Amino acid sequence: MIFRQIRGVITEVPVIKSMRFFSSSGPRPKNVFIVIMGPPGSGKGTISERIVRDFKLLYLSSGDVLRNHISNQTEFGVQIKPIVAAGKLVPSSLLTPMIEADISKLKSTGDTGFLLDGFPRSVDQAESLQRTHPPNLAIQLDVPFETIINRIKSRYIHLPSGRVYNLDYNPPKVTGKDDVTGEALTQREDDKPESVKKRLEIYQSVMDPILEYYKNKQVLQVFSGTESNVIYPQVKRFLEDFLKKQ
Ligand code: G5P
Ligand code: MG
């Protein structure tokens, strides 16, 4: 069993690999399952970190799960490494059961407040999730592509935790080191310009039907803008109201 801390005080919450969570003395929201979507580099990780901090939801990122498999050179990691590095989508037949099993494991601990980042990325993933763990909110970050391309060039991550930095926007306290552990930061293999281009192209080709899907389920909430510091207060206000109604 893996225990992991993102911010705040660690408690005995069994955590799946790549699961980050915030814990404090207050209760966590129950029966809330939010998915957060948006183009690569739109700030899903950045905004999620703030949501997790302010609303005490458990957090799972499909990208973090995959990068951890790659870094640990698991059989699955070796298989998907070239796909992720090229900016292509990992086949749903491999990823969907893994993500759904992670959510089931978390639910079995009694925690029922989750934020899922980067999943679904296709209608078949959305349909499958709807059958197993239907989200009650789908957040879409609508950020222009021109804004994104510049951001990604200066992104660094702390691979084990998934914490995200940016040399211009959100630099680490010590250059090249994670603020919490002091471990080395790295650049993502898929942040090379060719892969970023591919990721944006794929995003554009797959997202419309997914947004339509969640619009029809009446759970879609879109937040538009170019700066996370402007978008997040809108998300926060919305969530304060949304959680009161749950
Ligand atoms: P991921 O890991 O899900 P992407 O491509 O969806 O990757 P990414 O790149 O992680 O998304 P993000 O989380 O939306 O971007 O953005 P972020 O990291 O928070 O912010 C980007 C940078 O901008 C950071 O450096 C941040 O500090 C900075 N920043 C944030 N806000 C601002 C701001 O306001 N101003 C400025 N100047 N900077 C800012 O998926 C990776 C791969 O995994 C596979 C695919 O291969 C995918 O390409 N994968 C899947 N495959 C199939 N199905 C799925 N469901 C899959 N999920 C993952
Ligand atoms: Mg991310």
Side-chain angles (χ1 to χ4, degrees), residues 7-25:
R7 298 268 192 265
V9 184
I10 196 160
T11 55
E12 292 222 336
V13 179
V15 186
I16 292 156
K17 202 160 178 57
S18 302
M19 170 62 60
R20 292 187 277 159
F21 67 95
F22 173 83
S23 61
S24 74
S25 51

Side-chain angles (χ1 to χ4, degrees), residues 38-101:
S42 56
K44 298 183 294 297
T46 303
I47 299 274
S48 291
E49 191 158 327
R50 297 178 195 183
I51 294 176
V52 166
R53 179 195 65 202
D54 292 343
F55 297 96
K56 301 173 191 163
L57 295 172
L58 293 175
Y59 170 71
L60 183 67
S61 148
S62 53
D64 285 353
V65 170
L66 296 170
R67 281 184 288 280
N68 272 293
H69 272 281
I70 293 169
S71 154
N72 293 325
Q73 298 182 20
T74 63
E75 199 181 320
F76 175 65
V78 170
Q79 193 182 354
I80 60 160
K81 185 176 175 182
I83 304 175
V84 174
K88 297 180 186 158
L89 291 182
V90 171
S92 297
S93 56
L94 301 177
L95 184 61
T96 304
M98 191 175 277
I99 296 293
E100 291 178 348

Side-chain angles (χ1 to χ4, degrees), residues 39-46 62-63 66-67 84 88-90 95 118-119 121 125 151 155 164-166 169 188 190 199 226-228:
S42 56
K44 298 183 294 297
T46 303
S62 53
L66 296 170
R67 281 184 288 280
V84 174
K88 297 180 186 158
L89 291 182
V90 171
L95 184 61
F119 191 99
R121 227 83 148 214
Q125 290 180 2
R151 286 179 182 182
R155 169 165 58 189
V164 183
Y165 298 88
N166 187 286
Y169 171 72
R188 276 171 44 174
D190 61 346
R199 282 157 62 203
T226 55
E227 289 175 51
S228 297

Side-chain angles (χ1 to χ4, degrees), residues 145-163:
F145 283 12
E146 314 83 81
T147 309
I148 286 169
I149 290 163
N150 287 326
R151 286 179 182 182
I152 289 187
K153 284 184 203 149
S154 11
R155 169 165 58 189
Y156 281 78
I157 62 159
H158 176 243
L159 183 57
S161 69
R163 273 184 287 277

Side-chain angles (χ1 to χ4, degrees), residues 214-231:
Y214 283 128
K215 199 171 159 194
N216 289 335
K217 298 276 173 216
Q218 301 183 329
V219 294
L220 181 66
Q221 192 67 33
V222 179
F223 297 90
S224 305
T226 55
E227 289 175 51
S228 297
N229 288 352
V230 176
I231 294 177

